Structure formats: C-alpha cells, structure tokens
C-alpha cells in the first residue's frame, strides 16, 4: 500500500504494485484490525502487512 506520511481517515490509499484504489485509510485500518483482532498474526508497518 502507498500510505503518505500522517494520513487522515479520508486519505485515499492505492496499491503500491498496480496503483489500484484500495479505499480510504480509516476504512482500511478498521477492516485490517477487524480481521486480525485477537489473532496477533499480522502487523502493519510502513504500508506493508507483515505476518508475525
């Protein structure tokens, strides 16, 4: 993901590989945490989803 410095919840986020629109930063964060809640299997680091 291409995540600019200090994104707001309404910041559009794009795929760093193909440039496709992925959604707004706030929605993507909510979805990420909803999917990984309690699993501690993933981390978000500089726009990369990393399996722990």
């Amino acid at each position: 993901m291409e995540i600019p410095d200090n994104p707001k919840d309404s910041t559009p986020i794009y795929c760093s590989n193909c440039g496709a629109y992925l959604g707004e930063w706030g929605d993507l964060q909510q979805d990420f945490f909803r999917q990984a809640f309690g699993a501690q299997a993933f981390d978000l680091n500089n726009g990369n989803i990393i399996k722990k």
Side-chain angles (χ1 to χ4, degrees):
M1 292 184 284
E2 291 182 14
I3 303 172
D5 292 336
N6 302 313
K8 296 181 173 30
D9 284 347
S10 61
T11 299
I13 303 298
Y14 299 91
C15 175
S16 58
N17 289 327
C18 70
Y21 175 73
L22 300 174
E24 292 183 350
W25 180 235
D27 294 337
L28 293 171
Q29 285 189 103
Q30 286 180 347
D31 189 45
F32 176 74
F33 289 119
R34 180 186 55 79
Q35 290 181 47
F37 181 74
Q40 297 181 356
F42 299 98
D43 194 12
L44 183 60
N45 186 0
N46 295 322
N48 295 306
I49 300 172
I50 300 169
K51 185 175 179 179
K52 289 185 176 184

